[in-house]
Amino acid sequence: DQQVKQNSPSLSVQEGRISILNCDYTNSMFDYFLWYKKYPAEGPTFLISISSIKDKNEDGRFTVFLNKSAKHLSLHIVPSQPGDSAVYFCAARNNAGNMLTFGGGTRLMVKP
Amino acid sequence: EAGVTQFPSHSVIEKGQTVTLRCDPISGHDNLYWYRRVMGKEIKFLLHFVKESKQDESGMPNNRFLAERTGGTYSTLKVQPAELEDSGVYFCASSQDTGGLSYNEQFFGPGTRLTVL
């Protein structure tokens, strides 16, 4: 039973355009949602987070939107750059502990 | 400041052998986590240490896996005996206090790629 799902295994975007990565979850006990970015042969690197009491958090080119009623969050990257090419993992924290539950990842390719 | 380090970076062993993975967290981080990613799928939680104590080991797959964190510094994860399905990338992460109502970032190491033949 996968509690966090990323239904798009890959996404290709032109440089300068917007990248939108989506994530769905099922567990109402999640209180924080996060996006991690992963390059090959490296560990995941924290990108941005959002508390369950908010609906938007912005950090430079990265914005995360949370729709609690739909149990859906998305990461917007604008403008996209070739260096953004990586695998992006959506993750969620259960308010009963600090473990993270990850989605399967979406591979983003930004073409010059 | 050094990040989370893991050793070895790669390990290839035969089914039935024993392997020990090591993780050195960021200095001062009381919280240490083990995760693994199998066959390119999602990253799954294995267990969580607070200092030397196991806070949550609900993700450990079976009793062939043994994690320790003696002295509350580095941690080891031993797989004995290894099976084919144990192949994957094992990540370690560390964080400061969990902070309760706030989120304290978990910093991940580069992972150990384990291949069981």
Side-chain angles (χ1 to χ4, degrees):
Chain A
D1 177 30
Q2 202 171 343
Q3 298 183 54
V4 178
K5 287 185 179 179
Q6 295 176 253
N7 291 319
S8 298
S10 65
L11 174 68
S12 183
V13 171
Q14 203 67 34
E15 180 179 7
R17 307 294 289 268
I18 185 171
S19 295
I20 300 176
L21 296 96
N22 294 301
C23 178
D24 296 292
Y25 64 95
T26 57
N27 190 339
S28 299
M29 301 301 285
F30 290 142
D31 65 345
Y32 266 90
F33 301 90
L34 310 98
W35 286 93
Y36 274 80
K37 176 179 179 180
K38 185 184 177 306
Y39 292 116
E42 294 183 9
T45 302
F46 172 75
L47 194 56
I48 191 169
S49 68
I50 187 167
S51 164
S52 60
I53 62 173
K54 305 210 172 199
D55 56 19
K56 177 182 174 181
N57 187 27
E58 190 172 352
D59 183 3
R61 297 185 297 114
F62 303 90
T63 303
V64 56
F65 295 92
L66 175 62
N67 182 334
K68 281 189 70 177
S69 61
K71 292 190 172 67
H72 177 85
L73 66 154
S74 60
L75 173 68
H76 293 209
I77 306 173
V78 56
S80 301
Q81 299 173 353
D84 295 330
S85 297
V87 177
Y88 289 78
F89 288 95
C90 172
R93 186 188 82 164
N94 189 308
N95 63 11
N98 211 46
M99 59 173 275
L100 296 179
T101 301
F102 284 85
T106 295
R107 181 178 300 279
L108 174 66
M109 293 162 284
V110 181
K111 298 180 178 179
Chain B
E1 180 183 324
V4 177
T5 58
Q6 293 187 245
F7 181 83
S9 57
H10 292 85
S11 180
V12 180
I13 61 172
E14 292 191 351
K15 176 183 171 180
Q17 289 187 319
T18 298
V19 64
T20 300
L21 314 181
R22 173 172 169 144
C23 168
D24 286 79
I26 293 173
S27 178
H29 281 190
D30 288 339
N31 294 278
L32 187 149
Y33 312 82
W34 284 98
Y35 294 86
R36 76 172 176 179
R37 190 181 188 203
V38 173
M39 294 290 289
K41 295 185 178 178
E42 71 271 21
I43 300 169
K44 284 196 172 182
F45 168 80
L46 295 178
L47 87 160
H48 169 203
F49 282 100
V50 177
K51 296 184 181 178
E52 68 275 10
S53 299
K54 292 176 184 174
Q55 181 78 10
D56 181 354
E57 51 184 331
S58 61
M60 294 288 264
N62 51 61
N63 59 9
R64 296 185 293 104
F65 289 76
L66 175 63
E68 294 181 323
R69 193 183 181 195
T70 307
T73 54
Y74 71 90
S75 174
T76 57
L77 179 64
K78 181 192 288 188
V79 185
Q80 178 183 29
E83 297 290 344
L84 299 178
E85 64 264 25
D86 300 332
S87 296
V89 181
Y90 289 76
F91 292 104
C92 175
S94 71
S95 71
Q96 294 179 326
D97 291 343
T98 56
L101 294 177
S102 65
Y103 172 72
N104 283 317
E105 178 185 346
Q106 293 184 25
F107 295 85
F108 281 77
T112 293
R113 180 173 294 278
L114 174 64
T115 302
V116 183
L117 302 176

